[in-house]
Amino acid sequence: MALDSKQCEAFLGVAETGSFEQAAVRLHLTPSAVSLRVRALETALGQALVVRGRPCRATRAGRQLLQHLQRTRLMEQDLLSGLAGAPDGGEGFFQAALAVNADSLATWLLPALAPVLARERIVLELVVDDQAHTDALLAAGLVNACVAAEAHAMRGCVAEPLGTMRYRLVATPAFAAQWFRRGLTRAAAQRAPAVVFNRKDLLHADALLRTLGLPASAYPTHYVPASEPFVAAIRLGLGYGMVPQLQIGDALERGELVDVLPEAATDVPLYWHRWAQQSPRLEALAHSAMAAARGVLR
């Protein structure tokens, strides 16, 4: 059987907007017409594609169809742009979405992608999430690629190693002198305020559990969910935390920061996840990111 383009368009509208009403506005139809088309597609495929609610959500089968339709749309846009005339892909820009962890975005990612974004005329939507969760955004069809800590690619995708980001548990010398006079012991860690990115970020908790046997609930914590303010909070002496080596620079050598527990250093491997079949411009984006990352990451 062949997929009906109008039914697929209606499903795509509902899946991307989360609403039959918003999909109707996008398609210049009534909500009932959108519903009829989605229902007809579900009947033809013999599976439910959308969980009706506020917002609507794609089922597992719906997510598979959503991923297929989004990839097809991007490849069609890329083809039409290339056929428009200019060797560089035409005058129009190609829209892509990338899920990335905040620390990569704050350090190596944009310098890596800037040349290819300009050359290939790509405009990028960046979706920031913890590296342990970005692959779920790719699985849901919300992005075209992601930087993730997961080594295994899901079906239909490829996961390429980028390298590892090393994190060090650091504080200012004054903070360490106040709270860790005898070193970062279990008792000292229970009293000293920590700085953690957000509640999804488990690097600090895992490091203290591994080295001191201390659970996350055992110490006071600041949550600062932005990379530069996070580092600024530590530099201001509000607490101590796990900072990427790339963001520390030579602050340890200059004595601006101290490593309060060297054995807590953690290497986080990162991978570029992408669809096995994708447009030439997304391929160029992937190759540029991988080449640059391997020159910067460990």
Side-chain angles (χ1 to χ4, degrees), residues 167-192:
Y167 289 78
R168 308 275 293 272
L169 192 57
V170 300
T172 63
F175 183 91
Q178 177 183 356
W179 295 96
F180 306 139
R181 292 175 193 164
R182 299 181 181 178
L184 179 46
T185 63
R186 181 183 172 91
Q190 288 177 299
R191 296 190 301 270

Side-chain angles (χ1 to χ4, degrees), residues 84-213:
D88 67 354
E91 294 301 319
F93 281 86
F94 182 82
Q95 178 76 54
L98 172 67
V100 61
N101 60 311
D103 291 333
S104 289
L105 181 58
T107 53
W108 64 270
L109 184 72
L110 288 180
L113 298 186
V116 70
L117 293 177
R119 184 179 70 247
E120 299 292 338
R121 298 183 67 81
I122 299 171
V123 288
L124 200 59
E125 178 183 356
L126 292 167
V127 182
V128 179
D129 206 339
D130 187 83
Q131 60 266 11
H133 298 271
T134 48
D135 58 327
L137 298 172
L138 180 63
L142 299 177
V143 295
N144 307 111
C146 70
V147 176
E150 174 58 53
H152 301 290
M154 66 181 184
R155 185 175 180 181
C157 290
V158 176
E160 299 279 359
L162 294 169
T164 60
M165 290 193 77
R166 169 157 287 189
Y167 289 78
R168 308 275 293 272
L169 192 57
V170 300
T172 63
F175 183 91
Q178 177 183 356
W179 295 96
F180 306 139
R181 292 175 193 164
R182 299 181 181 178
L184 179 46
T185 63
R186 181 183 172 91
Q190 288 177 299
R191 296 190 301 270
V195 180
V196 174
F197 189 82
N198 60 25
R199 293 184 185 276
K200 289 183 178 180
D201 178 10
L202 300 179
L203 285 173
H204 195 113
D206 288 347
L208 292 195
L209 185 62
R210 182 180 77 248
T211 57
L212 302 176

Side-chain angles (χ1 to χ4, degrees), residues 26-46:
R26 176 195 285 192
L27 300 173
H28 305 289
L29 297 169
T30 65
S32 60
V34 173
S35 181
L36 285 173
R37 290 184 183 184
V38 173
R39 181 68 67 189
L41 182 59
E42 291 176 321
T43 300
L45 295 177

Side-chain angles (χ1 to χ4, degrees), residues 188-245:
Q190 288 177 299
R191 296 190 301 270
V195 180
V196 174
F197 189 82
N198 60 25
R199 293 184 185 276
K200 289 183 178 180
D201 178 10
L202 300 179
L203 285 173
H204 195 113
D206 288 347
L208 292 195
L209 185 62
R210 182 180 77 248
T211 57
L212 302 176
L214 200 62
S217 58
Y219 45 86
T221 303
H222 296 290
Y223 292 99
V224 186
S227 288
E228 290 184 5
F230 172 84
V231 177
I234 293 172
R235 286 181 173 272
L236 288 169
L238 298 182
Y240 69 113
M242 296 288 282
V243 179
Q245 183 78 52

